[in-house]
Amino acid sequence: MYDVMAIGNALVDHEYVLSDAALDETELTKGHMTLAGIEEQQQLLAYFKLANIDPSKQAGGGSAANAMYAFASLGGKPFYACRVGDDDQGAFYLRDLHEAGVATSDKSIHTGGVTGSCVVAVTEDGERTMQTYLGTSSEIVADNVDFDALTQADWLYLEGYLAMSESIQPAMTQLRQQAGIHNAKIAVSFADPAVVQFAKDGLLNMLGNKVAVIFCNSEEAKLFTDKKQVKAAARALLEYCQTAVVTDGANGANGAIIAHKSDDDSDIEVYEVATPVVANVIDTNGAGDNYAGAFLYALSQQYSLPECGRLASEVSAQIIQQFGPRLASQDYKDIAQRILSA
Protein backbone atom coordinates (compact mmCIF):
# COMPACT_ATOMS: atom_id res chain seq x y z
CA MET A 1 0.00 0.00 0.00
CA TYR A 2 1.10 3.57 -0.75
CA ASP A 3 -0.10 6.78 0.84
CA VAL A 4 0.28 8.60 -2.48
CA MET A 5 1.15 8.00 -6.12
CA ALA A 6 2.71 10.96 -7.92
CA ILE A 7 3.68 11.68 -11.50
CA GLY A 8 6.02 14.38 -12.73
CA ASN A 9 9.04 15.39 -14.76
CA ALA A 10 12.36 13.78 -13.85
CA LEU A 11 15.13 16.38 -13.84
CA VAL A 12 18.61 16.65 -12.39
CA ASP A 13 19.11 20.18 -11.04
CA HIS A 14 22.32 22.12 -11.65
CA GLU A 15 22.40 25.22 -9.47
CA TYR A 16 24.30 28.44 -10.18
CA VAL A 17 24.53 31.53 -7.99
CA LEU A 18 24.68 34.82 -9.91
CA SER A 19 23.84 38.51 -9.80
CA ASP A 20 20.70 40.11 -11.22
CA ALA A 21 22.88 41.72 -13.88
CA ALA A 22 24.23 38.33 -14.93
CA LEU A 23 20.70 36.91 -14.98
CA ASP A 24 19.58 39.77 -17.23
CA GLU A 25 22.21 38.67 -19.73
CA THR A 26 20.53 35.26 -20.01
CA GLU A 27 17.19 36.85 -21.04
CA LEU A 28 15.38 34.39 -18.75
CA THR A 29 12.28 35.66 -16.90
CA LYS A 30 13.18 36.00 -13.24
CA GLY A 31 11.24 33.67 -10.96
CA HIS A 32 9.81 31.62 -13.84
CA MET A 33 10.62 28.35 -15.58
CA THR A 34 11.51 28.42 -19.30
CA LEU A 35 11.57 25.29 -21.46
CA ALA A 36 14.61 24.93 -23.70
CA GLY A 37 16.16 22.58 -26.23
CA ILE A 38 19.53 20.97 -25.67
CA GLU A 39 21.31 23.58 -27.82
CA GLU A 40 19.76 26.47 -25.86
CA GLN A 41 20.82 24.91 -22.58
CA GLN A 42 24.33 24.36 -23.88
CA GLN A 43 24.46 28.04 -24.87
CA LEU A 44 23.39 29.04 -21.35
CA LEU A 45 26.03 26.82 -19.79
CA ALA A 46 28.63 28.23 -22.17
CA TYR A 47 27.70 31.75 -21.00
CA PHE A 48 28.11 30.72 -17.37
CA LYS A 49 31.54 29.27 -18.15
CA LEU A 50 32.60 32.40 -20.03
CA ALA A 51 31.43 34.55 -17.10
CA ASN A 52 33.31 32.32 -14.62
CA ILE A 53 30.08 31.29 -12.91
CA ASP A 54 30.62 27.78 -11.59
CA PRO A 55 27.86 25.35 -10.50
CA SER A 56 27.29 25.26 -6.75
CA LYS A 57 25.32 22.04 -6.48
CA GLN A 58 23.89 19.06 -8.39
CA ALA A 59 20.79 17.41 -6.98
CA GLY A 60 17.81 15.34 -7.96
CA GLY A 61 14.92 17.65 -8.86
CA GLY A 62 11.56 17.86 -10.51
CA SER A 63 8.59 19.41 -8.73
CA ALA A 64 6.61 16.27 -7.84
CA ALA A 65 9.80 14.36 -7.03
CA ASN A 66 10.83 17.04 -4.53
CA ALA A 67 7.38 16.84 -2.95
CA MET A 68 7.56 13.06 -2.69
CA TYR A 69 11.10 13.24 -1.24
CA ALA A 70 9.70 15.40 1.56
CA PHE A 71 6.67 13.13 1.94
CA ALA A 72 8.85 10.02 2.31
CA SER A 73 11.38 11.69 4.61
CA LEU A 74 8.54 12.69 6.95
CA GLY A 75 7.50 9.04 7.20
CA GLY A 76 5.02 8.54 4.36
CA LYS A 77 4.99 5.90 1.63
CA PRO A 78 5.01 7.47 -1.85
CA PHE A 79 5.27 5.99 -5.34
CA TYR A 80 6.65 8.14 -8.14
CA ALA A 81 6.13 7.72 -11.89
CA CYS A 82 8.40 9.57 -14.32
CA ARG A 83 10.66 9.00 -17.36
CA VAL A 84 14.45 8.97 -17.22
CA GLY A 85 17.11 7.70 -19.60
CA ASP A 86 19.26 4.64 -18.94
CA ASP A 87 22.22 6.97 -18.47
CA ASP A 88 24.32 7.96 -15.45
CA GLN A 89 22.07 10.91 -14.67
CA GLY A 90 18.99 8.69 -14.68
CA ALA A 91 20.65 6.18 -12.37
CA PHE A 92 21.68 9.01 -10.02
CA TYR A 93 18.17 10.41 -10.07
CA LEU A 94 16.37 7.16 -9.20
CA ARG A 95 18.97 6.12 -6.61
CA ASP A 96 18.48 9.45 -4.83
CA LEU A 97 14.73 8.78 -4.57
CA HIS A 98 15.11 5.17 -3.48
CA GLU A 99 17.48 6.12 -0.68
CA ALA A 100 14.81 8.49 0.68
CA GLY A 101 12.09 5.81 0.56
CA VAL A 102 10.35 6.83 -2.68
CA ALA A 103 9.28 3.78 -4.72
CA THR A 104 9.57 3.80 -8.53
CA SER A 105 9.11 1.33 -11.39
CA ASP A 106 11.31 0.11 -14.23
CA LYS A 107 8.58 1.49 -16.50
CA SER A 108 10.13 4.90 -15.79
CA ILE A 109 13.42 3.96 -17.49
CA HIS A 110 13.60 4.63 -21.24
CA THR A 111 16.35 2.74 -23.05
CA GLY A 112 18.50 5.12 -25.08
CA GLY A 113 16.88 8.22 -23.56
CA VAL A 114 18.66 11.27 -22.15
CA THR A 115 17.63 12.25 -18.63
CA GLY A 116 16.30 15.80 -18.37
CA SER A 117 18.21 18.59 -16.67
CA CYS A 118 17.27 21.90 -15.12
CA VAL A 119 19.64 24.86 -14.81
CA VAL A 120 18.63 26.76 -11.69
CA ALA A 121 19.89 30.33 -11.50
CA VAL A 122 19.74 31.68 -7.94
CA THR A 123 20.11 35.43 -7.52
CA GLU A 124 21.27 37.30 -4.43
CA ASP A 125 17.69 37.69 -3.14
CA GLY A 126 17.27 33.89 -3.14
CA GLU A 127 14.84 33.86 -6.08
CA ARG A 128 15.16 30.87 -8.38
CA THR A 129 14.91 31.14 -12.16
CA MET A 130 14.93 27.93 -14.17
CA GLN A 131 15.76 26.83 -17.68
CA THR A 132 14.63 23.26 -18.28
CA TYR A 133 15.69 20.77 -20.91
CA LEU A 134 13.17 17.96 -20.45
CA GLY A 135 15.13 15.35 -22.36
CA THR A 136 13.30 12.03 -22.49
CA SER A 137 10.86 13.32 -19.85
CA SER A 138 9.20 15.38 -22.60
CA GLU A 139 8.02 12.11 -24.14
CA ILE A 140 6.50 10.61 -21.01
CA VAL A 141 3.48 8.52 -21.95
CA ALA A 142 1.06 6.06 -20.39
CA ASP A 143 3.60 3.22 -20.83
CA ASN A 144 5.85 4.95 -18.25
CA VAL A 145 3.08 4.92 -15.65
CA ASP A 146 2.51 1.93 -13.37
CA PHE A 147 -1.26 2.25 -13.05
CA ASP A 148 -1.36 -0.68 -10.62
CA ALA A 149 0.38 1.51 -8.04
CA LEU A 150 -2.62 3.82 -7.98
CA THR A 151 -4.93 0.94 -7.05
CA GLN A 152 -2.91 0.70 -3.82
CA ALA A 153 -2.79 4.44 -3.06
CA ASP A 154 -5.01 6.83 -1.08
CA TRP A 155 -3.87 9.92 -2.99
CA LEU A 156 -2.86 10.85 -6.55
CA TYR A 157 -0.51 13.86 -6.85
CA LEU A 158 -0.17 15.57 -10.25
CA GLU A 159 2.60 18.03 -11.11
CA GLY A 160 1.47 21.12 -13.00
CA TYR A 161 4.49 21.14 -15.32
CA LEU A 162 3.01 18.09 -17.06
CA ALA A 163 0.20 20.33 -18.31
CA MET A 164 2.78 21.42 -20.91
CA SER A 165 3.20 17.85 -22.19
CA GLU A 166 0.70 16.73 -24.82
CA SER A 167 1.96 13.14 -24.75
CA ILE A 168 0.92 12.59 -21.12
CA GLN A 169 -2.61 14.03 -21.33
CA PRO A 170 -4.32 10.68 -22.18
CA ALA A 171 -2.59 9.11 -19.16
CA MET A 172 -3.72 12.04 -16.99
CA THR A 173 -7.30 11.36 -17.97
CA GLN A 174 -6.84 7.64 -17.27
CA LEU A 175 -5.29 8.37 -13.88
CA ARG A 176 -8.17 10.63 -12.89
CA GLN A 177 -10.68 7.99 -13.93
CA GLN A 178 -8.82 5.26 -12.05
CA ALA A 179 -8.55 7.46 -8.97
CA GLY A 180 -12.34 7.80 -9.04
CA ILE A 181 -12.85 4.04 -9.30
CA HIS A 182 -10.51 3.33 -6.37
CA ASN A 183 -11.60 6.33 -4.25
CA ALA A 184 -8.16 7.93 -4.31
CA LYS A 185 -8.23 11.67 -3.67
CA ILE A 186 -6.43 13.92 -6.16
CA ALA A 187 -4.04 16.80 -5.40
CA VAL A 188 -2.71 19.10 -8.14
CA SER A 189 0.21 21.52 -7.88
CA PHE A 190 0.24 24.42 -10.35
CA ALA A 191 4.05 24.43 -10.01
CA ASP A 192 4.95 27.67 -11.82
CA PRO A 193 3.32 30.87 -13.16
CA ALA A 194 4.43 29.89 -16.68
CA VAL A 195 2.24 26.78 -16.46
CA VAL A 196 -0.85 28.89 -15.74
CA GLN A 197 0.06 31.40 -18.45
CA PHE A 198 0.82 28.96 -21.24
CA ALA A 199 -0.81 25.62 -20.37
CA LYS A 200 -4.09 26.40 -18.63
CA ASP A 201 -5.98 23.89 -20.80
CA GLY A 202 -3.63 21.16 -19.60
CA LEU A 203 -4.22 22.21 -15.99
CA LEU A 204 -7.98 22.09 -16.53
CA ASN A 205 -7.61 18.54 -17.85
CA MET A 206 -5.76 17.62 -14.64
CA LEU A 207 -8.48 19.18 -12.52
CA GLY A 208 -11.32 17.43 -14.36
CA ASN A 209 -14.66 18.02 -12.67
CA LYS A 210 -12.99 18.75 -9.32
CA VAL A 211 -10.06 17.60 -7.18
CA ALA A 212 -9.47 17.40 -3.44
CA VAL A 213 -6.56 19.86 -3.16
CA ILE A 214 -4.87 22.53 -5.26
CA PHE A 215 -1.42 23.82 -4.28
CA CYS A 216 -0.19 27.10 -5.76
CA ASN A 217 1.41 30.41 -4.88
CA SER A 218 -0.33 33.78 -4.90
CA GLU A 219 0.87 34.75 -8.40
CA GLU A 220 -0.39 31.47 -9.87
CA ALA A 221 -3.72 31.76 -8.01
CA LYS A 222 -4.33 35.27 -9.29
CA LEU A 223 -3.38 34.35 -12.87
CA PHE A 224 -5.65 31.30 -12.86
CA THR A 225 -8.70 33.01 -11.33
CA ASP A 226 -8.25 36.58 -12.63
CA LYS A 227 -8.66 37.83 -9.07
CA LYS A 228 -6.51 40.64 -7.70
CA GLN A 229 -6.57 39.68 -4.02
CA VAL A 230 -5.08 36.48 -2.60
CA LYS A 231 -8.07 35.58 -0.41
CA ALA A 232 -10.49 36.14 -3.29
CA ALA A 233 -8.32 33.97 -5.54
CA ALA A 234 -8.19 31.19 -2.93
CA ARG A 235 -11.98 31.24 -2.64
CA ALA A 236 -12.37 31.25 -6.42
CA LEU A 237 -10.19 28.13 -6.67
CA LEU A 238 -12.84 26.24 -4.68
CA GLU A 239 -14.77 25.97 -7.93
CA TYR A 240 -12.12 23.42 -8.92
CA CYS A 241 -11.27 21.77 -5.59
CA GLN A 242 -12.37 21.18 -2.02
CA THR A 243 -9.25 22.72 -0.48
CA ALA A 244 -7.08 25.47 -1.97
CA VAL A 245 -3.66 26.05 -0.43
CA VAL A 246 -2.10 29.35 -1.54
CA THR A 247 1.36 30.38 -0.34
CA ASP A 248 2.19 34.07 -0.40
CA GLY A 249 5.79 35.20 -0.18
CA ALA A 250 9.15 33.44 -0.02
CA ASN A 251 10.33 34.91 3.27
CA GLY A 252 7.22 34.08 5.28
CA ALA A 253 6.04 37.67 5.63
CA ASN A 254 2.55 37.03 4.26
CA GLY A 255 1.96 33.44 5.36
CA ALA A 256 -0.41 31.13 3.52
CA ILE A 257 -4.15 31.04 2.86
CA ILE A 258 -6.04 27.75 3.12
CA ALA A 259 -9.62 27.87 1.79
CA HIS A 260 -11.83 24.84 2.39
CA LYS A 261 -15.35 24.02 1.24
CA SER A 262 -17.47 21.52 3.21
CA ASP A 263 -18.50 18.23 1.63
CA ASP A 264 -22.02 19.49 0.94
CA ASP A 265 -20.71 22.85 -0.39
CA SER A 266 -22.72 24.68 2.28
CA ASP A 267 -19.85 26.25 4.17
CA ILE A 268 -16.46 27.80 3.36
CA GLU A 269 -13.68 28.16 5.92
CA VAL A 270 -10.59 30.28 5.34
CA TYR A 271 -7.48 29.81 7.48
CA GLU A 272 -4.52 32.17 7.58
CA VAL A 273 -1.42 30.22 8.57
CA ALA A 274 1.58 32.28 9.61
CA THR A 275 4.95 31.13 8.34
CA PRO A 276 8.35 31.67 9.97
CA VAL A 277 9.93 34.92 8.86
CA VAL A 278 13.31 34.16 7.30
CA ALA A 279 15.71 37.09 7.40
CA ASN A 280 18.24 35.64 4.95
CA VAL A 281 16.65 33.83 2.01
CA ILE A 282 19.38 31.90 0.22
CA ASP A 283 17.52 29.81 -2.38
CA THR A 284 13.78 29.43 -3.02
CA ASN A 285 14.26 26.44 -5.35
CA GLY A 286 11.96 23.64 -4.13
CA ALA A 287 10.17 25.70 -1.48
CA GLY A 288 6.71 25.26 -3.00
CA ASP A 289 7.34 21.58 -3.75
CA ASN A 290 8.35 20.88 -0.17
CA TYR A 291 5.40 22.86 1.13
CA ALA A 292 3.04 20.68 -0.89
CA GLY A 293 4.79 17.43 0.08
CA ALA A 294 4.80 18.24 3.79
CA PHE A 295 1.21 19.49 3.75
CA LEU A 296 0.01 16.39 1.93
CA TYR A 297 1.88 14.13 4.34
CA ALA A 298 0.17 15.71 7.36
CA LEU A 299 -3.18 15.60 5.58
CA SER A 300 -2.71 11.88 4.82
CA GLN A 301 -2.10 11.36 8.54
CA GLN A 302 -5.43 13.05 9.41
CA TYR A 303 -4.03 16.26 10.89
CA SER A 304 -6.17 19.42 10.74
CA LEU A 305 -5.67 21.91 7.90
CA PRO A 306 -3.96 24.50 10.16
CA GLU A 307 -1.62 21.78 11.47
CA CYS A 308 -0.84 20.73 7.89
CA GLY A 309 -0.05 24.35 7.08
CA ARG A 310 2.24 24.78 10.08
CA LEU A 311 4.29 21.70 9.22
CA ALA A 312 4.53 22.73 5.57
CA SER A 313 5.57 26.26 6.51
CA GLU A 314 8.34 25.07 8.81
CA VAL A 315 9.72 22.70 6.17
CA SER A 316 9.70 25.31 3.40
CA ALA A 317 11.26 27.89 5.75
CA GLN A 318 14.21 25.54 6.24
CA ILE A 319 14.49 24.83 2.51
CA ILE A 320 14.99 28.50 1.59
CA GLN A 321 17.86 28.87 4.07
CA GLN A 322 20.10 26.48 2.10
CA PHE A 323 21.11 25.70 -1.46
CA GLY A 324 19.18 22.93 -3.18
CA PRO A 325 15.57 21.73 -3.20
CA ARG A 326 15.79 19.05 -0.47
CA LEU A 327 16.76 18.80 3.19
CA ALA A 328 18.61 15.91 4.78
CA SER A 329 16.14 13.16 5.61
CA GLN A 330 16.60 13.51 9.38
CA ASP A 331 15.89 17.26 9.20
CA TYR A 332 12.35 16.53 7.97
CA LYS A 333 11.79 14.11 10.83
CA ASP A 334 13.08 16.62 13.39
CA ILE A 335 10.68 19.28 12.11
CA ALA A 336 7.72 16.87 12.22
CA GLN A 337 8.60 15.86 15.76
CA ARG A 338 8.72 19.47 16.85
CA ILE A 339 5.57 20.69 15.07
CA LEU A 340 3.18 17.74 15.09
CA SER A 341 3.96 16.73 18.67
CA ALA A 342 3.41 20.21 20.05
Side-chain angles (χ1 to χ4, degrees):
M1 293 291 293
Y2 301 108
D3 295 312
V4 57
M5 174 188 176
I7 179 170
N9 282 317
L11 304 169
V12 175
D13 284 354
H14 304 273
E15 289 211 350
Y16 293 78
V17 180
L18 64 166
S19 66
D20 278 311
L23 180 63
D24 288 341
E25 292 292 325
T26 69
E27 298 185 352
L28 296 173
T29 302
K30 186 173 180 177
H32 288 215
M33 186 279 295
T34 302
L35 289 176
I38 184 63
E39 291 183 357
E40 290 174 283
Q41 189 160 94
Q42 288 174 343
Q43 288 172 359
L44 179 62
L45 295 175
Y47 161 68
F48 285 157
K49 186 175 182 179
L50 187 65
N52 294 317
I53 302 171
D54 296 322
S56 61
K57 189 170 185 178
Q58 172 181 288
S63 180
N66 291 336
M68 293 304 102
Y69 189 98
F71 192 100
S73 296
L74 287 163
K77 296 180 180 180
F79 180 94
Y80 182 60
C82 61
R83 180 173 167 122
V84 298
D86 58 343
D87 50 14
D88 290 343
Q89 295 282 69
F92 164 80
Y93 185 86
L94 294 179
R95 183 172 63 251
D96 203 35
L97 291 176
H98 293 163
E99 289 175 353
V102 181
T104 64
S105 164
D106 287 344
K107 290 175 180 276
S108 291
I109 303 172
H110 176 61
T111 302
V114 177
T115 301
S117 58
C118 180
V119 174
V120 184
V122 182
T123 42
E124 293 164 357
D125 58 358
E127 183 63 85
R128 100 289 184 267
T129 302
M130 299 183 292
Q131 189 210 58
T132 301
Y133 167 58
L134 290 173
T136 193
S137 189
S138 67
E139 300 171 335
I140 185 171
V141 292
D143 287 347
N144 300 122
V145 180
D146 190 336
F147 290 94
D148 288 341
L150 184 54
T151 67
Q152 307 173 54
D154 297 322
W155 283 88
L156 170 64
Y157 182 89
L158 304 176
E159 173 191 305
Y161 287 121
L162 290 180
M164 294 177 158
S165 171
E166 292 185 13
S167 64
I168 198 59
Q169 296 312 310
M172 287 292 182
T173 301
Q174 188 176 342
L175 283 166
R176 283 194 295 100
Q177 292 171 341
Q178 190 167 325
I181 293 171
H182 295 283
N183 297 315
K185 297 179 284 293
I186 301 175
V188 173
S189 168
F190 284 179
D192 193 278
V195 174
V196 182
Q197 284 180 297
F198 304 116
K200 190 170 182 178
D201 286 345
L203 277 181
L204 289 171
N205 183 46
M206 286 186 186
L207 297 172
N209 294 327
K210 203 169 189 179
V211 298
V213 183
I214 288 175
F215 294 103
C216 60
N217 65 29
S218 57
E219 183 180 359
E220 295 154 3
K222 292 174 186 177
L223 282 171
F224 190 86
T225 63
D226 290 324
K227 300 293 184 182
K228 295 182 179 180
Q229 302 298 325
V230 179
K231 285 186 181 179
R235 284 177 172 269
L237 285 172
L238 294 179
E239 178 183 345
Y240 305 92
C241 63
Q242 187 174 17
T243 303
V245 183
V246 184
T247 55
D248 188 19
N251 66 354
N254 299 321
I257 303 295
I258 304 171
H260 176 75
K261 184 182 288 187
S262 60
D263 291 338
D264 60 3
D265 293 345
S266 63
D267 185 44
I268 293 176
E269 295 177 294
V270 178
Y271 303 95
E272 295 185 47
V273 179
T275 54
V277 176
V278 176
N280 185 26
V281 178
I282 294 175
D283 180 7
T284 60
N285 182 28
D289 308 333
N290 278 269
Y291 192 103
F295 192 105
L296 190 60
Y297 166 75
L299 194 59
S300 74
Q301 302 303 307
Q302 311 304 314
Y303 285 95
S304 69
L305 292 175
E307 288 173 317
C308 295
R310 285 194 289 272
L311 176 66
S313 296
E314 290 285 344
V315 168
S316 60
Q318 290 301 310
I319 284 289
I320 64 177
Q321 295 181 70
Q322 60 155 45
F323 285 110
R326 299 171 183 177
L327 300 174
S329 184
Q330 187 59 46
D331 290 342
Y332 290 100
K333 294 178 175 62
D334 291 344
I335 295 170
Q337 177 68 25
R338 176 163 50 87
I339 300 301
L340 298 180
S341 300

